[in-house]
Amino acid sequence: MSTIFAKIIRREVPADIVYEDDRVLVFKDINPRARVHLLIIPKKEIASMFEVKPEDKDLIAHMMLLLPQLAKAHGLEKGFKTQINTGEAGGQEVYHLHIHLLGN
Ligand code: 5GP
């Protein structure tokens, strides 16, 4: 089932996109909890960390390697936080895998 994030990827819903390549999209969280609050999402529709498969390992590594680059590009040279909410008990609201990148 398509989520709001899939609609953002397809440009059916607007978002403040700060980075894009062939595998990922990065945009500002609509309800920021810090001065910088970005969401890093794969273009592939993966519902959560529970659905990540071994064949996704390069994609996941790509997302992880982007984090410090994005942080530096947004003025977070001194450090940043990341969060991946997974499943109902993990507080996940949008069932399209995403990494929160937060920093002040
Ligand atoms: P989760 O709890 O699933 O990890 O977090 C989902 C995040 O997506 C929340 O921080 C929420 O503010 C953000 N979000 C939900 N809908 C939209 C949207 O339409 N646009 C943007 N930019 N962020 C959204």
Side-chain angles (χ1 to χ4, degrees), residues 13 22 27 31 42 44 50 58 62 66 74 85 92 99:
V13 167
D22 56 330
F27 51 92
N31 187 20
K44 180 178 177 182
F50 280 134
D58 287 349
H62 181 58
L66 270 177
H74 288 83
N85 297 332
Q92 187 171 2
I99 304 175

Side-chain angles (χ1 to χ4, degrees), residues 44 46-57 60 97:
K44 180 178 177 182
I46 301 171
S48 81
M49 283 303 294
F50 280 134
E51 282 75 33
V52 172
K53 303 269 190 303
E55 62 260 32
D56 298 319
K57 70 174 189 229
I60 299 300
L97 178 65

Side-chain angles (χ1 to χ4, degrees), residues 18 26-29 36-40 70 74 99-101:
V18 300
V26 182
F27 51 92
K28 294 183 182 177
D29 195 293
V36 177
H37 186 171
L38 304 179
L39 299 171
I40 295 89
L70 289 163
H74 288 83
I99 304 175
H100 294 259
L101 189 166

Side-chain angles (χ1 to χ4, degrees), residues 66-100:
L66 270 177
L67 295 171
Q69 292 179 33
L70 289 163
K72 284 184 198 159
H74 288 83
L76 302 176
E77 292 87 357
K78 289 189 173 172
F80 59 93
K81 294 182 183 180
T82 50
Q83 190 172 341
I84 306 175
N85 297 332
T86 303
E88 196 183 341
Q92 187 171 2
E93 291 171 9
V94 178
Y95 280 80
H96 183 120
L97 178 65
H98 53 282
I99 304 175
H100 294 259

